[in-house]
Structures are given as structure tokens and as C-alpha cells.
Amino acid sequence: MTYTLPELGFAFNALEPHIDAKTMEIHHDKHHAAYVSKLNAALEGVEIGDLSISDLVSNLDDIPKEKRGAVRNNGGGHYNHSLFWKILEPGGSSAPDGELADAIDAAFGSYDVMKKTFANAAATVFGSGWAWLVSDCDGNLSICSTPNQDNPKMTDGGTPILGLDVWEHAYYLHYQNRRPDYIDTFWKIVNWTSVHSLLKETKGSSCCGCK
Ligand code: MN
């Protein structure tokens, strides 16, 4: 099994002025590419069959102990960034609708409260990590954060349908230490259509809410 770097799906400069082209280029072509190559290197000689990256990060206990740390960090890096590119869109869609909007209202009361809760989770990650909007198998939503390249699937915490990378490599060139500004801007480039599709996929899967 060899994992491959997915296409970004849009030009490096497509998210400007919100995320600059140089950041996107380094983020995808260097950081994400390195997670993929280090993951493949860590898995050399390990028989895992044809496992999707989602199944790999959900079943880290099956990985030999001496390889597990590298697979957790780099497999998480691959899974997280693959999701991140999918939920970004130049121009973005303005707000969630339909079933996704209903699920947000049911869990948080309103879209604005969800955004505030998510922004707080992202702002308070100490050091490097991610903020997540997570769905359980019934489509119930919750918000959490994880350190490093961990994600909720590693702890049976549900399936992320929206994630924000708050590693400094994701924003430092343009925003320097102003992580809250980067978080604010994120809402302008979220592809809610993708998030909605991810929500539909999680229904019926075997998972639970954030732990
Ligand atoms: Mn990153």
C-alpha cells in the first residue's frame, strides 16, 4: 500500500487575499508531501493491505508499536490535509444550508454560535494542532480540537467534516502571530457543499461524538 499526495483542486493563489499563494504552495507541495512520503517510509515492510487513509488512522493499534508513532503523525498529517483541501473553496459558499444547517442548529442553536465555539477551539490549541467540527454516526455534531496531527478518528471521537489547521505553517507568512485573524478569515473560504457531503457520508458509519 502506497499513499499518494492528492491534488489541491485549485490554484495556489486561488484563496488570495485570505490565504496567500506561497503559503498554499509550501503547505501542499512541501508539508503535505512530506507527511505522505514519511508515512510510506514508516509503513515499509508492514502488511496493512489496501487500507484507506481513514481506516488507517482509525486503527493505529494494528500498527507495530515501533512504527506507530510515525504512522500516527504522518498518517494523521495525510488524512488531515486531504480533508482540509476538500473543505476550502475560492470564494466559498456563504453559509451551510439544508440538512447541514439543521444539524448545526440542533447542536449549537445557531450558525453564529457554532462559529464562535469552533473559533474558540481553534484559538486555544496550545502550539500546533487542529480544530474540528465532528459528526457521529447519527449526524450529531460537536466541536473539539486535537494536538499535532491527531484527529478525532484516532480516539473513536467521530468523523471530522470540517477542520482548521492551526499549525503556524498554515498561516505564519501572511498572519504572523495573528492566529485569530486567520481563523476569522477561514469562514470566507469554507466550501459548505463539501462539508454537507461529508456529513451525509458519516451517517451510518461506526463512530461516536467528540471525546
Ligand atoms: Mn498543515
Side-chain angles (χ1 to χ4, degrees):
M1 181 76 206
T2 304
Y3 294 96
T4 53
L5 180 66
E7 294 287 329
L8 188 55
F10 45 81
F12 294 130
N13 66 359
L15 300 175
E16 289 193 348
H18 309 301
I19 302 182
D20 63 283
K22 197 70 190 164
T23 294
M24 290 306 294
E25 181 180 353
I26 296 171
H27 204 173
H28 180 270
D29 285 11
K30 305 290 184 200
H31 289 284
H32 190 174
Y35 293 124
V36 173
S37 63
K38 286 179 186 170
L39 172 63
N40 288 329
L43 288 171
E44 252 174 57
V46 182
E47 196 46 67
I48 57 162
D50 208 12
L51 266 190
S52 70
I53 187 61
S54 172
D55 286 340
L56 179 71
V57 298
S58 306
N59 294 283
L60 289 171
D61 287 350
D62 296 345
I63 303 298
K65 232 178 182 173
E66 70 276 14
K67 307 259 189 180
R68 203 175 296 156
V71 172
R72 181 182 191 118
N73 290 334
N74 295 292
H78 180 33
Y79 176 90
N80 296 346
H81 289 84
S82 299
L83 176 81
F84 191 46
W85 312 137
K86 259 193 236 172
I87 58 90
L88 295 176
E89 184 189 32
S93 33
S94 56
D97 62 4
E99 181 189 20
L100 174 60
D102 293 344
I104 287 172
D105 287 346
F108 305 102
S110 72
Y111 176 51
D112 281 344
V113 173
M114 185 281 284
K115 285 202 293 184
K116 271 184 202 152
T117 310
F118 186 97
N120 184 56
T124 55
V125 171
F126 183 73
S128 300
W130 291 75
W132 304 106
L133 177 64
V134 176
S135 172
D136 72 7
C137 43
D138 295 319
N140 298 311
L141 301 182
S142 54
I143 283 169
C144 61
S145 65
T146 54
N148 306 313
Q149 293 297 351
D150 285 1
N151 70 64
K153 292 190 81 78
M154 292 175 178
T155 51
D156 286 331
T159 302
I161 61 169
L162 177 73
L164 179 59
D165 188 346
V166 294
W167 283 57
E168 286 186 346
H169 70 221
Y171 64 86
Y172 206 83
L173 283 182
H174 184 71
Y175 292 94
Q176 290 87 46
N177 60 321
R178 303 186 308 276
R179 189 194 286 184
D181 291 352
Y182 162 71
I183 297 168
D184 266 356
T185 296
F186 173 60
W187 303 113
K188 296 177 182 156
I189 49 171
V190 172
N191 183 337
W192 289 112
T193 310
S194 288
V195 178
H196 201 155
S197 300
L198 289 165
L199 172 65
K200 286 179 182 167
E201 285 171 25
T202 62
K203 286 201 175 181
S205 62
S206 52
C207 55
C208 314
C210 276
K211 283 180 184 168

